């Protein structure tokens, strides 16, 4: 069975200006080593919400591509959230699920995908227009790059083995990541999200 | 005819332009108005906690979000409000119908009334309880301004009396 790190290594040169959101755990550590940049948001501790966060971004910024790295355990926590996403079906969102059939970080306890659960089938049933399962690195890279080019809500479920590559840990905390991400959005979109201290009192809403 | 709601107008006046919602009978009219109005992106949710994530994504990319729910749903959000909004300092307006107080007519909401304010205190989320319709707009404006000054969530708890015009 392929490794997640092999998939990420193959994909990294091909994502262009796509905004990436990562799930908790090894995927964040591996991705920050391979392709850290200002437009990456690392979701460190809210298991189940990575896709919901990426979905909120994709709706709010329709002319950008968004790519979220999910996990099987986290997606199973928030399957209803997939129905919410599918109902709006933002064409600029691709959900990649690294399905290692386990809650790896706390010790490798098996999830339901180690048994009968099929996440791509669940996504299709909940209304995703495109969802497929891949088991080789070549198929992974082809499927994800095709999804990013397709301009249609898509899911790719990658069956991977457990294990995290031994790479340096991130040198940035959550708030630093937020500021870096938000300032990048502000520069790129020409908007103000976190007003500077001298401006905030002038922004008081009339009410 | 398009649904109208004074509470929706208060949200728009305060700058809210993104609303994730789950229904309660008291806020039915408000949700219809939000869903029909191009001034905001409206996301109907399956469960309230996902809405905390959706709203965080919206804020990170330039929107001013509100989560419009009942207080039972607020209890569903405790982990997300702590590990997402609390870890990163991400603001969110929690606009909540406040079930289970002494005005409540349904017995099954009563336990919510006992715990809602202590839970918000424990989550370190400031809140205002509004009891009259004309208090909603200033409370929403204050909460939205607090979101900008603090980068943290703020809650407005709307009692039955404040929603008398909207209750079905």
């Amino acid at each position: 069975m392929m490794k997640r790190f092999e998939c990420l290594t193959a994909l990294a040169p091909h994502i262009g200006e796509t905004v990436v959101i990562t799930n908790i755990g090894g995927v964040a550590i591996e991705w920050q080593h391979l392709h850290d940049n200002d437009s990456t948001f690392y979701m460190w501790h809210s298991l189940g919400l990575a896709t919901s966060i990426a979905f909120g971004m994709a709706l709010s910024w329709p002319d950008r591509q968004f790519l979220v790295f999910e996990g099987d355990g986290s997606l199973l926590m928030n399957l209803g959230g997939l129905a919410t996403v599918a109902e709006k079906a933002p064409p600029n969102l691709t959900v990649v699920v690294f399905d290692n059939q386990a809650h790896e970080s706390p010790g490798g306890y098996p999830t339901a995908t180690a048994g009968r659960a099929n996440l791509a089938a669940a996504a299709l049933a909940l209304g995703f227009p495109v969802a497929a399962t891949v088991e080789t690195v070549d198929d992974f890279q082809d499927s994800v790059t095709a999804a990013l080019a397709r301009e249609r809500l898509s899911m790719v479920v990658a069956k991977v083995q457990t294990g995290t590559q031994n790479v340096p840990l991130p040198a940035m905390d959550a708030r630093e990541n937020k500021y870096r991400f938000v300032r990048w959005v502000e520069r790129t979109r020409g908007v103000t999200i976190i007003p500077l201290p001298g401006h905030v009192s002038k922004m008081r809403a009339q009410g | 005819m398009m649904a109208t709601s004074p509470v929706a107008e208060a949200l728009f006046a305060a700058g809210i332009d993104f609303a994730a919602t789950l229904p309660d009978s008291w806020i039915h009219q408000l949700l219809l108005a939000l869903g029909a109005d191009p001034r905001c992106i409206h996301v109907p949710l399956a469960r309230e906690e996902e809405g905390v994530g959706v709203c965080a994504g919206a804020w990170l990319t330039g929107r001013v979000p509100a989560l419009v729910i009942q207080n039972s749903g607020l209890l569903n959000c405790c982990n997300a409000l702590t590990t997402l909004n609390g870890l990163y300092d991400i603001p969110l307006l929690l606009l909540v119908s406040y079930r289970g107080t002494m005005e409540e007519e349904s017995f099954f909401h009563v336990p919510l009334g006992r715990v809602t304010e202590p839970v918000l205190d424990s989550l370190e989320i400031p809140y205002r309880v509004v009891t009259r319709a004309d208090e909603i707009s200033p409370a929403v404006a204050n909460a939205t301004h607090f979101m900008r000054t603090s980068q943290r969530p703020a809650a407005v708890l709307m009692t039955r009396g404040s929603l008398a015009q909207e209750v079905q």
Side-chain angles (χ1 to χ4, degrees):
Chain A
M1 198 178 279
M2 63 184 172
K3 293 181 177 177
R4 180 183 58 215
F5 189 72
E6 297 168 342
C7 295
L8 293 173
T9 303
L11 180 63
H14 301 287
I15 68 154
E17 295 188 331
T18 301
V19 179
V20 173
I21 298 90
T22 65
N23 190 31
I24 305 170
V27 67
I29 295 166
E30 292 178 345
W31 186 251
Q32 61 85 29
H33 176 70
L34 289 167
H35 200 275
D36 182 47
N37 64 18
D38 289 357
S39 62
T40 310
F41 185 76
Y42 304 99
M43 195 273 303
W44 284 115
H45 197 38
S46 306
L47 197 66
L49 293 187
T51 293
S52 298
I53 293 168
F55 167 60
M57 292 179 177
L59 284 181
S60 299
W61 197 354
D63 52 4
R64 272 272 159 176
Q65 280 291 327
F66 291 84
L67 170 63
V68 55
F69 295 138
E70 263 290 3
D72 49 310
S74 53
L75 209 53
L76 287 167
M77 262 193 171
N78 186 13
L79 273 186
L82 287 186
T84 303
V85 173
E87 191 60 26
K88 291 280 183 183
N92 56 332
L93 177 62
T94 299
V95 180
V96 166
V97 185
F98 287 111
D99 180 2
N100 61 8
Q101 303 101 57
H103 287 290
E104 180 182 333
S105 300
Y109 196 80
T111 66
T113 63
R116 301 180 64 179
N118 179 330
L119 292 173
L124 290 171
L126 290 170
F128 266 61
V130 182
T133 302
V134 297
E135 300 189 353
T136 69
V137 176
D138 284 345
D139 285 349
F140 174 82
Q141 187 187 316
D142 290 347
S143 298
V144 179
T145 50
L148 292 173
R150 185 180 291 130
E151 298 188 2
R152 200 167 176 209
L153 173 66
S154 304
M155 176 183 286
V156 177
V157 179
K159 287 287 190 182
V160 295
Q161 57 181 269
T162 55
T164 297
Q165 194 76 9
N166 186 18
V167 296
L169 293 172
M172 185 172 56
D173 84 357
R175 286 182 180 84
E176 285 178 274
N177 182 199
K178 175 193 73 172
Y179 274 103
R180 187 181 71 167
F181 185 88
V182 162
R183 296 305 184 203
W184 171 78
V185 174
E186 289 177 330
R187 286 196 305 276
T188 308
R189 294 195 83 177
V191 296
T192 299
I193 297 172
I194 303 175
L196 295 171
H199 298 270
V200 69
S201 59
K202 296 179 186 169
M203 296 180 66
R204 182 159 195 111
Q206 305 297 311
Chain B
M1 197 181 92
M2 197 169 97
T4 58
S5 157
V7 184
E9 293 304 320
L11 292 175
F12 298 140
I16 297 293
D17 57 9
F18 190 103
T21 68
L22 210 110
D24 174 32
S25 55
W26 290 5
I27 54 177
H28 175 71
Q29 196 66 23
L30 168 59
L31 267 50
L32 289 178
L34 292 173
D37 202 307
R39 287 175 286 180
C40 79
I41 295 175
H42 178 232
V43 180
L45 301 166
R47 191 172 191 270
E48 294 83 356
E49 186 172 28
E50 57 160 319
V52 178
V54 174
C55 287
W59 180 80
L60 287 163
T61 45
R63 293 266 166 179
V64 184
L67 186 60
V68 185
I69 54 177
Q70 187 200 119
N71 50 339
S72 65
L74 179 68
L75 299 186
N76 276 343
C77 296
C78 291
N79 174 60
L81 289 168
T82 305
T83 61
L84 185 60
N85 303 76
L87 181 66
Y88 292 85
D89 280 347
I90 291 176
L92 172 61
L93 175 63
L94 298 160
L95 187 66
V96 179
S97 57
Y98 191 2
R99 309 299 304 248
T101 66
M102 282 194 282
E103 297 172 291
E104 181 62 55
E105 57 192 15
S106 303
F107 72 93
F108 46 81
H109 288 300
V110 169
L112 295 168
R114 291 201 297 267
V115 305
T116 297
E117 292 183 54
V119 165
L120 284 169
D121 286 333
S122 293
L123 294 171
E124 300 179 330
I125 294 175
Y127 59 89
R128 290 290 178 272
V129 178
V130 294
T131 58
R132 298 199 322 261
D134 63 359
E135 295 172 339
I136 293 177
S137 184
V140 165
N142 286 340
T144 310
H145 187 67
F146 178 80
M147 287 159 60
R148 282 192 290 267
T149 55
S150 67
Q151 295 177 54
R152 293 177 65 85
V156 175
L157 303 179
M158 302 181 294
T159 62
R160 185 181 176 84
S162 74
L163 290 168
Q165 292 173 306
E166 310 235 357
V167 171
Q168 292 281 294

